[in-house]
Amino acid sequence: AQSVTQLGSHVSVSEGALVLLRCNYSSSVPPYLFWYVQYPNQGLQLLLKYTSAATLVKGINGFEAEFKKSETSFHLTKPSAHMSDAAEYFCAVSGVGNQFYFGTGTSLTVIP
Amino acid sequence: EAGVAQSPRYKIIEKRQSVAFWCNPISGHATLYWYQQILGQGPKLLIQFQNNGVVDDSQLPKDRFSAERLKGVDSTLKIQPAKLEDSAVYLCASIGTSAWRGELFFGEGSRLTVL
């Protein structure tokens, strides 16, 4: 079975500060992991995905995530937060048969 | 390439009424999903189709929810009768057959308010 846990339902950072959103996964098979972003009144769009090619994955808008098997983690980071990064972020894992399991989400607030 | 289309974007109904949502996935995408997203929560899978067959509907409340994808292209999700707790955003997503463990593409969602 696959699942993800996102630690911290709300994160606030100052503009220009480091963004760190946490995700831990559980998977009985080598996982494929994803981070999605959701802006108000919109659907989810893909930020980045890990598919075992490289442990450090770079995505759109300056975000990146590192797969750490020993810690079963896939944390999302961005060196310098921008006001436009304020949104809801979801970690997800895919399993057999293209079944996707989402975390409960982390709301990011960027303080000017 | 056109994205996943959903309609209506917003719907307000009273409890015990019925409602239907429509989704047209990206052209050629064989797998289609309906998710329910309650405010403050992550998307919860309701049903997954592969072409016109159901892959997983274990979390679909079948006493009031139904979904179909008759020709393996567009899909309709129906709720009858609606309850207050059905207030949520209903998201449709699709994935291509060649994209094994690829990414989901989401529509903008249909927001349902049940009064």
Side-chain angles (χ1 to χ4, degrees), chain A:
Chain A
Q2 285 79 32
S3 67
V4 291
T5 301
Q6 291 184 242
L7 300 176
S9 58
H10 298 276
V11 171
S12 294
V13 299
S14 297
E15 191 174 16
L18 171 72
V19 175
L20 171 61
L21 305 182
R22 300 178 185 273
C23 173
N24 288 89
Y25 70 89
S26 172
S27 178
S28 55
V29 297
Y32 278 38
L33 295 159
F34 306 80
W35 275 100
Y36 282 84
V37 61
Q38 186 177 34
Y39 298 102
N41 297 316
Q42 295 187 25
L44 282 71
Q45 63 183 78
L46 183 71
L47 269 181
L48 49 80
K49 63 181 178 183
Y50 166 75
T51 57
S52 76
T55 56
L56 183 62
V57 181
K58 295 186 183 299
I60 61 172
N61 300 337
F63 283 93
E64 61 182 37
E66 186 172 10
F67 173 73
K68 292 187 176 181
K69 185 177 179 180
S70 61
E71 299 177 7
T72 61
S73 68
F74 190 58
H75 300 332
L76 181 70
T77 61
K78 182 174 180 178
S80 177
H82 191 271
M83 295 299 294
S84 60
D85 295 326
E88 190 86 16
Y89 293 80
F90 294 94
C91 182
V93 61
S94 73
V96 175
N98 274 332
Q99 294 182 327
F100 286 74
Y101 303 90
F102 287 84
T104 52
T106 298
S107 177
L108 176 66
T109 300
V110 181
I111 304 166

Side-chain angles (χ1 to χ4, degrees), chain B residues 37-58:
Chain B
Q37 186 179 22
I38 293 173
L39 186 64
Q41 300 182 19
K44 169 192 164 186
L45 179 67
L46 291 175
I47 190 166
Q48 178 184 349
F49 291 97
Q50 175 79 16
N51 295 309
N52 60 351
V54 175
V55 174
D56 183 359
D57 64 355
S58 58

Side-chain angles (χ1 to χ4, degrees), chain B residues 83-114:
Chain B
K83 291 185 175 181
L84 296 177
E85 59 260 37
D86 298 332
S87 293
V89 176
Y90 292 86
L91 294 166
C92 181
S94 68
I95 191 169
T97 53
S98 62
W100 183 71
R101 288 193 162 183
E103 65 182 271
L104 286 178
F105 292 86
F106 282 87
E108 293 191 308
S110 294
R111 181 178 298 275
L112 173 66
T113 301
V114 182

Side-chain angles (χ1 to χ4, degrees), chain B residues 17-34:
Chain B
Q17 287 186 324
S18 63
V19 63
F21 302 111
W22 175 82
C23 171
N24 195 27
I26 292 174
S27 178
H29 280 197
T31 306
L32 183 149
Y33 309 75
W34 282 102

